[in-house]
Amino acid sequence: GVKKMDKERDLRYQSLTNYREQYAFRICNTTEQLVTNFLGLMESASFGSKPDDLASVTRENLQVDLYSSNVVKSAEALLKIVTELKHSVMLNNYAHVGGFIGDNRREFQNQAQTANETIDTLKTELTIALQEMETTYYKSDYREKPQSQK
C-alpha cells in the first residue's frame, strides 16, 4: 500500500528530474548555438571593412547567409523545445490533477464511511433511547388510561 505509493512517487520524481535535466541540456546547447551564430553573423556583417575583391564579397555574403540561416534554425529549435515543454506541463498537470482527484476520492470515501458508521451508531443509540422512553411512558402514571379501563 503505502510503500508501493512511495516507491511510485520516487520513481516519478526521478523520471521528472531526468526529464528536466535533458531539457535543460537541450536548452543550453541550443541557446549556445544561437549566440555563437549571432556573434558570427555580427562579425561577418561588420560595416567597417571593405573587401578588396569579388571573392571576398562573395565569401562574406555566404558567411552572412550561413550564420543567419543557423540563427533561424537555432531559434526554431528553441521554439520547438518551448512547445514541447508546454505540452509536457499540460500532460503532467493532468496526471497530477488525476492523482489529486484520486487522492480526494479516497479521502471522501473514508469520510463517507466514517459518516455512515456515525449515522449507524446514532441510529442504534436513538432506537435504544426511544425504546427506553416508550417503556417509561407506558409505565408512567401520567399517561392517560385507555377509555375502556375507566
Side-chain angles (χ1 to χ4, degrees), residues 1-142:
V2 174
K3 288 183 180 181
K4 184 179 178 184
M5 288 174 57
D6 288 343
K7 190 174 185 178
E8 288 174 3
R9 189 176 340 133
D10 290 344
L11 288 174
R12 196 175 330 141
Y13 177 76
Q14 185 178 12
S15 171
L16 287 174
T17 302
N18 291 340
Y19 190 68
R20 188 179 334 138
E21 288 173 359
Q22 289 173 356
Y23 270 106
F25 180 76
R26 285 178 60 195
I27 289 170
C28 285
N29 281 344
T30 308
T31 305
E32 186 177 317
Q33 290 172 0
L34 179 68
V35 170
T36 301
N37 287 311
F38 181 75
L39 291 174
L41 177 64
M42 291 296 110
E43 191 175 303
S44 295
S46 61
F47 295 106
S49 65
K50 290 192 176 193
D52 297 334
D53 58 355
L54 184 61
S56 297
V57 171
T58 305
R59 188 182 76 244
E60 281 186 12
N61 284 339
L62 286 175
Q63 283 180 334
V64 167
D65 287 345
L66 178 68
Y67 283 126
S68 61
S69 174
N70 287 341
V71 165
V72 170
K73 286 179 186 175
S74 296
E76 287 175 344
L78 278 175
L79 288 174
K80 182 180 176 189
I81 292 171
V82 168
T83 302
E84 288 175 16
L85 284 171
K86 284 181 182 179
H87 291 162
S88 163
V89 166
M90 286 190 299
L91 291 175
N92 285 332
N93 279 343
Y94 286 136
H96 176 72
V97 167
F100 181 71
I101 289 170
D103 291 344
N104 278 349
R105 194 181 106 253
R106 283 187 289 279
E107 182 180 334
F108 291 141
Q109 285 175 337
N110 289 339
Q111 289 176 358
Q113 183 178 357
T114 302
N116 286 337
E117 290 170 359
T118 303
I119 288 171
D120 288 342
T121 302
L122 287 173
K123 182 175 144 185
T124 304
E125 290 175 4
L126 283 173
T127 302
I128 292 170
L130 283 173
Q131 287 174 349
E132 287 176 2
M133 288 173 65
E134 190 176 81
T135 303
T136 304
Y137 172 74
Y138 285 117
K139 289 181 181 179
S140 166
D141 290 335
Y142 296 106

